[in-house]
């Protein structure tokens, strides 16, 4: 049987790396995309799981380059069954809502929202043109609890992630008749290389005290396992859902 192929953006580290490893464990071959060209750690991890892998370098904000990126992804293995939209920028430095500049806003939105939308569009068109062979096909977009939880110090990030929620629903409706599912994954507080140096210890204490009902940080493997479950088609007859991977943080508690 032909192995399925997943295209993962932002695959060098963190949640993208976690997604790639979990997909490899499920029998996917991988096309790994990042703005940097050294993905040796992720490559080693997915190859250890038996996956074949190709690495492509691209800046998601460069919409004009998407066509060549999609061509290269298809050329790698002759197919793409799953797109994992993981690449994104966080808001650094944290800036009050009233002080955000157009330049800072555009930098975040160009990658997180505009770049993700047009890459999804390009991959969806190619998926439709290629047709399916009966296997599950999907587009999985990693957003954030920031899609629903307000932070006035991260306004461009919040807005970009909220847009991805609607984007998922739009593509879910448009692609359902083509047999392509779309899902949104909303990670909560994640312990990754990106957050390790920027998170105050007070937040860790707050999480462990019950701010997150599960009383722990999330991990790339938590997100990766969820993405692999969706990509494998283990939620049949479903599309458009937002799945919270946050240890219960999003739930309103009365006490």
């Amino acid at each position: 049987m032909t192995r399925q192929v997943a295209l993962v953006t932002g695959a060098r580290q963190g949640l993208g790396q976690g997604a790639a490893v979990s997909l490899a464990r499920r029998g996917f071959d991988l096309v790994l995309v990042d703005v940097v060209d050294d993905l040796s750690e992720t490559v080693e991890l997915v190859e250890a799981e038996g996956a074949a892998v190709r690495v492509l370098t691209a800046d998601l904000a460069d919409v004009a380059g998407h066509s060549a990126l999609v061509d290269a992804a298809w050329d790698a293995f002759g197919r793409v069954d799953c797109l994992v939209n993981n690449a994104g920028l966080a808001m650094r430095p944290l800036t009050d809502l009233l002080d955000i500049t157009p330049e800072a806003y555009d930098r975040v939105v160009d990658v997180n929202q505009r770049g993700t939308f047009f890459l999804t569009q390009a991959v969806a068109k190619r998926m439709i043109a290629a047709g399916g062979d009966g296997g599950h096909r999907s587009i999985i977009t990693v957003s954030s609890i920031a899609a629903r939880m307000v932070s006035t110090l991260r306004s461009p990030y919040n807005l970009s992630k909220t847009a991805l929620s609607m984007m998922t629903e739009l593509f879910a409706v448009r692609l359902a008749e083509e047999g392509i599912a779309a899902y949104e994954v909303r990670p909560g507080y994640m312990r990754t290389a990106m957050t390790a140096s920027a998170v105050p210890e007070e937040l860790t204490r707050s999480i462990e005290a019950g701010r997150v009902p599960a009383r722990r940080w999330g991990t790339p493997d938590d997100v990766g396992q969820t993405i692999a479950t969706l990509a494998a088609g283990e939620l049949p007859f479903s599309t458009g859902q937002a799945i919270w991977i946050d240890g219960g943080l999003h739930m309103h508690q009365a006490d």
Side-chain angles (χ1 to χ4, degrees):
M1 181 178 176
T2 303
R3 288 171 63 92
Q4 289 192 296
V5 177
L7 166 60
V8 181
T9 66
R12 182 173 67 91
Q13 63 182 3
L15 303 187
Q17 185 179 91
V21 172
S22 291
L23 286 161
R25 288 176 183 153
R26 289 294 186 108
F28 281 77
D29 290 330
L30 280 304
V31 179
L32 306 179
V33 179
D34 207 286
V35 71
V36 301
D37 58 7
D38 181 10
L39 276 66
S40 55
E41 181 179 287
T42 306
V43 169
E44 181 178 348
L45 290 170
V46 300
E47 287 183 337
E49 300 293 341
V53 60
R54 299 291 184 275
V55 173
L56 302 175
T57 304
D59 180 355
L60 205 62
D62 178 20
V63 173
H66 287 183
S67 179
L69 173 60
V70 172
D71 285 346
W74 248 265
D75 288 346
F77 297 105
R79 61 191 292 156
V80 171
D81 303 280
C82 174
L83 167 64
V84 179
N85 285 316
N86 170 72
L89 294 178
M91 190 68 214
R92 296 289 186 272
L94 299 181
T95 305
D96 185 86
L97 173 68
L98 300 181
D99 297 321
I100 291 292
T101 65
E103 293 77 17
Y105 181 95
D106 288 346
R107 181 169 178 267
V108 172
V109 171
D110 280 352
V111 173
N112 295 9
Q113 179 180 331
R114 186 172 182 268
T116 299
F117 174 85
F118 283 107
L119 180 63
T120 302
Q121 181 192 73
V123 171
K125 286 181 178 180
R126 181 62 70 88
M127 282 182 166
I128 293 169
D133 58 6
H136 187 68
R137 296 189 294 166
S138 61
I139 293 170
I140 303 169
T141 299
V142 179
S143 66
S144 168
I145 55 171
R148 292 295 300 273
M149 299 180 71
V150 171
S151 171
T152 59
L153 298 178
R154 297 175 174 86
S155 53
Y157 187 77
N158 281 86
L159 289 165
S160 68
K161 294 299 184 178
T162 301
L164 294 183
S165 296
M166 177 54 70
M167 185 196 83
T168 296
E169 295 189 14
L170 289 166
F171 277 104
V173 171
R174 177 62 180 83
L175 299 178
E177 65 187 80
E178 305 289 348
I180 302 168
Y183 308 102
E184 176 193 356
V185 173
R186 289 181 184 166
Y189 294 130
M190 293 286 136
R191 179 65 81 187
T192 67
M194 182 182 293
T195 63
S197 62
V199 173
E201 280 304 310
E202 302 88 77
L203 179 55
T204 295
R205 289 193 290 270
S206 175
I207 290 170
E208 293 173 349
R211 181 174 184 178
V212 173
R215 296 177 185 263
R216 70 168 177 86
W217 284 88
T219 69
D221 190 56
D222 292 326
V223 175
Q225 287 191 51
T226 302
I227 289 171
T229 298
L230 295 169
E234 294 186 1
L235 270 70
F237 202 52
S238 64
T239 191
Q241 284 89 340
I243 301 176
W244 297 86
I245 312 299
D246 68 346
L249 175 64
H250 70 283
M251 294 184 292
H252 296 288
Q253 300 182 59
D255 49 22

